[in-house]
Amino acid sequence: MLPPTASLERLIGSLGIGNDNTVVIVPAGTGPTDFGSAARVYWTFRVLGHDQVTILNGGFAGWRAAGFEVASGEAADFDLAKFEGALQANLIATLEEVEEARESQAQLVDARPSDYFRGETKSPAAKSPGTIPGARNLPHHEFIGQQDEIWYLNADRIAAQVNEAELDPNARTISFCNTGHWAATDWFVLSELAGFQEVALYDGSMSEWSQDSSRPIQVARKGLGKILNLFD
């Protein structure tokens, strides 16, 4: 989960990044998960009120394949900069809000692959398999395409995936996964590309939700669909 704002300010300033700088986040470009890492950093800057931030689609792998200059050796030293964050709390979903969302108009979106959503696979970070009841599944990796061993965000798939999940772009939407990593891809797609009005990321995700056994967890009932089909 997010560290204190002051800690983030010191970290970002130590990289020579000030409030007037445009920040380009460069993923590895080698798989869906590393795009989620970039999206998580992007979200963190936006949470701090820094909107001059973008992600290099295709990442370092795409940069190198395009023949652009590549540096090596010791990292450059940067002069310390002053970075001041302005916390945008509306981009963060707390545990309490997620609990309330189950009975409000907010949409819960599970960004994990479908086997996690159904409870067939469990992350070591979560105490129990399954998902938050009422959540809809929008797997993060389905937004990421591959071309010549370079992984990139495929904008052409966004509309189809969002429509299949039957999401309302005007409702407050909360993205989650196991640890707030894959969920950052869904947050980025819905908030920055799909035009959703209000999207937050629950960075505690299933890791936090599953810590208390009194919180409900939904697991797919295996075989039920096949039994019901016999009586259609």
Side-chain angles (χ1 to χ4, degrees):
M1 298 169 70
L2 279 175
T5 297
S7 298
L8 289 169
E9 289 174 330
R10 288 193 297 271
L11 173 62
I12 294 169
S14 72
L15 298 174
I17 299 172
N19 293 93
D20 293 332
N21 291 122
T22 296
V23 178
V24 181
I25 310 299
V26 184
T30 56
T33 294
D34 71 64
F35 186 90
S37 299
R40 175 62 188 243
V41 176
Y42 179 105
W43 172 77
T44 301
F45 273 100
R46 292 274 280 106
V47 164
L48 295 173
H50 191 79
D51 295 338
Q52 296 169 244
V53 58
T54 187
I55 298 176
L56 179 63
N57 203 9
F60 182 67
W63 175 272
R64 184 167 53 187
F68 293 119
E69 181 181 359
V70 174
S72 61
E74 294 294 326
D77 291 327
F78 299 101
D79 294 332
L80 293 178
K82 184 174 180 58
F83 182 89
E84 295 183 347
L87 189 66
Q88 308 298 302
N90 62 305
L91 300 182
I92 309 169
T94 63
L95 172 62
E96 292 72 25
E97 182 184 0
V98 174
E99 290 176 324
E100 294 172 359
R102 297 185 54 243
E103 300 184 11
S104 71
Q105 298 301 311
Q107 300 175 122
L108 296 175
V109 176
D110 189 337
R112 299 174 301 167
S114 57
D115 54 334
Y116 287 86
F117 178 74
R118 293 192 299 264
E120 298 166 2
T121 303
K122 184 184 79 68
S123 165
K127 280 196 170 183
S128 303
T131 191
I132 301 173
R136 305 181 189 195
N137 195 203
L138 189 63
H140 74 104
H141 63 276
E142 295 188 1
F143 292 116
I144 311 298
Q146 184 181 13
Q147 183 176 349
D148 299 328
E149 300 183 0
I150 298 167
W151 294 79
Y152 62 96
L153 185 74
N154 187 351
D156 294 337
R157 293 183 57 86
I158 293 175
Q161 295 302 119
V162 170
N163 289 338
E164 185 175 335
E166 298 181 340
L167 296 174
D168 180 358
N170 297 311
R172 179 164 173 80
T173 303
I174 299 172
S175 175
F176 70 94
C177 56
N178 291 311
T179 59
H181 176 186
W182 290 337
T185 294
D186 277 18
W187 176 88
F188 179 83
V189 167
L190 296 176
S191 174
E192 310 298 85
L193 302 178
F196 276 49
Q197 296 301 308
E198 192 175 355
V199 189
L201 191 154
Y202 173 35
D203 60 349
S205 287
M206 292 304 297
S207 175
E208 179 182 44
W209 182 266
S210 64
Q211 293 303 309
D212 188 337
S213 59
S214 68
R215 297 189 193 106
I217 293 180
Q218 176 180 304
V219 178
R221 297 171 64 185
K222 296 180 181 179
L224 179 61
K226 294 180 181 178
I227 295 172
L228 292 176
N229 285 340
L230 295 175
F231 299 96
D232 285 346

